């Protein structure tokens, strides 16, 4: 009998059977992926999963991984786990294909993120008359003003070969490039304060500016040396998700079945066969087509 010719009621029955075989509903299974992006420690995708220090900054929303700071929400385009770098895209920033106004981008001072050395910003359309970049101070304080890199002119000239940017029709001298390497996590790029109308961020810029990699590369830190917790590694190797939960933020390995352990998920094979109760064994020994199913509305069928 081919599958598509099964009567509807039988299909419904199969569906119910599948539901009955799924783990009980008390269990929450942490996501292993958000869209295409694999989720591993310290990222968990949502509350109760991953490292809670990261949950409020990075979460999975409808298959999109979102990075949030006090200036807005940004799309995470990639995570480089071995180097602990997260790549984000600000939808308001300009690229070679599009010039648009933006308010800027900032990190939260207390967040476990800082700019990676590869991140370079070009502030576009800054006011030569009033921008503190050229005037030197915000409220008489020069220490919070970015310094335009002398080496930035090449990058600015390349950007100005992009049609949307050249169409801004502002002199190239209003373009300021800088590398926020040592500005630390408190770095604030408030374009209104800096009197610039737009910006672009790149983390790789060789050759044609249309092919540059636009976005911001951020380092993340989960402990002093970013030593990957061994128990997390073991848990993930066994197809579990590493989570820290409860008032003591204690480690649990969240297994695909929804069961939590304090080690890894290798136990599951033996759990399924070994400690199954007699009642379960009885059910699973009934040959498939005659299996008795108690539907949610209490009806029995065979
Ligand atoms: C298992 O861990 C997940 C993730 O932390 C949690 O949401 C869930 O409540 C836990 N389940 C049980 C039964 O403790
Ligand atoms: C200048 O700005 C820096 C960084 O924002 C701040 O730490 C410092 O206290 C400020 N100095 C004065 C005199 O306001």
């Amino acid at each position: 009998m081919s599958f598509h010719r099964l009567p509807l009621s039988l299909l419904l029955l199969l569906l119910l059977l599948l539901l009955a075989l799924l783990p009980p509903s008390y269990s929450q299974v942490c996501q292993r992926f958000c869209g295409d992006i694999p989720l591993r420690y310290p990222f968990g995708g949502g509350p109760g999963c991953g490292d809670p220090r990261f949950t409020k900054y990075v979460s999975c929303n409808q298959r999109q991984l979102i990075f949030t700071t006090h200036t807005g929400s940004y799309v995470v385009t990639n995570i480089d786990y071995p180097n602990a770098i997260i790549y984000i895209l600000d939808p308001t920033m300009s690229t070679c294909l599009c010039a648009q106004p933006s308010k800027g981008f900032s990190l939260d001072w207390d967040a476990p993120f800082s700019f990676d050395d590869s991140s370079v910003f070009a502030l576009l359309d800054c006011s030569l008359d009033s921008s503190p970049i050229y005037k030197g101070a915000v409220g008489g304080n020069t220490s919070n003003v970015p310094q335009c890199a002398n080496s930035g002119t090449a990058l600015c000239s390349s950007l100005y070969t992009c049609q949307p940017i050249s169409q801004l029709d502002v002199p190239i001298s209003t373009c300021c490039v800088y590398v926020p390497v040592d500005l630390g996590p408190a770095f604030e790029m408030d374009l209104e304060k800096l009197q610039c109308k737009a910006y672009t961020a790149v983390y790789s810029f060789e050759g044609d500016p249309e092919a540059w990699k636009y976005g911001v590369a951020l380092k993340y830190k989960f402990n002093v040396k970013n030593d990957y917790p061994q128990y997390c590694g073991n848990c993930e190797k066994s197809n579990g998700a590493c989570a820290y939960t409860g008032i003591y933020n204690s480690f649990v390995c969240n297994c695909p079945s929804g069961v939590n352990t304090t080690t890894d998920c290798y136990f599951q094979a033996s759990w399924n066969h070994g400690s199954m109760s007699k009642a379960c064994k009885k059910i699973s020994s009934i040959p498939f087509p005659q299996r008795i199913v108690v539907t949610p509305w209490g009806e029995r069928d065979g």
Side-chain angles (χ1 to χ4, degrees), residues 19-139:
L19 286 177
L21 292 175
L22 283 177
S25 57
Y26 58 76
S27 53
Q28 183 199 339
V29 179
C30 295
Q31 290 169 269
R32 267 55 167 184
F33 280 87
C34 182
D36 297 335
I37 300 178
L39 294 175
R40 285 167 48 194
Y41 181 82
F43 304 108
C49 299
D51 186 324
R53 292 172 299 169
F54 286 79
T55 312
K56 71 172 175 175
Y57 303 109
V58 177
S59 64
C60 187
N61 187 356
Q62 298 183 347
R63 298 175 48 81
Q64 229 172 24
L65 201 58
I66 302 294
F67 177 77
T68 305
T69 77
H70 65 279
T71 52
S73 292
Y74 310 93
V75 175
V76 176
T77 53
N78 197 11
I79 303 176
D80 176 351
Y81 286 101
N83 296 306
I85 298 174
I86 172 170
Y87 295 93
I88 66 159
L89 203 57
D90 175 0
T92 73
M93 76 174 203
S94 301
T95 66
C96 196
L97 299 176
C98 153
Q100 57 179 339
S102 169
K103 287 186 173 359
F105 173 82
S106 298
L107 292 176
D108 293 354
W109 68 273
D110 57 346
F113 299 93
S114 59
F115 289 94
D116 184 62
D117 296 356
S118 60
S119 278
V120 172
F121 290 88
L123 307 181
L124 300 169
D125 198 0
C126 300
S127 161
L128 284 175
D129 295 329
S130 55
S131 172
I133 295 170
Y134 305 109
K135 293 285 163 192
V138 175

Side-chain angles (χ1 to χ4, degrees), residues 40-43 50-51 53-54 220-223 225-237 242-244 251 263:
R40 285 167 48 194
Y41 181 82
F43 304 108
D51 186 324
R53 292 172 299 169
F54 286 79
Y220 60 85
K221 201 165 206 150
F222 45 82
N223 63 36
K225 286 181 163 175
N226 265 0
D227 287 325
Y228 208 74
Q230 202 189 349
Y231 37 89
C232 271
N234 291 341
C235 168
E236 287 170 353
K237 255 182 243 153
C242 185
Y244 291 79
F251 162 77
T263 50

Side-chain angles (χ1 to χ4, degrees), residues 138-144:
V138 175
N141 189 342
T142 50
S143 63
N144 51 15

Side-chain angles (χ1 to χ4, degrees), residues 21 272-286 291-292 300:
L21 292 175
N272 280 338
H273 304 291
S275 54
M276 209 190 272
S277 77
K278 273 199 180 119
C280 300
K281 272 185 188 147
K282 204 168 164 191
I283 291 173
S284 58
S285 67
I286 298 173
R291 185 172 289 194
I292 291 163
R300 268 159 182 260

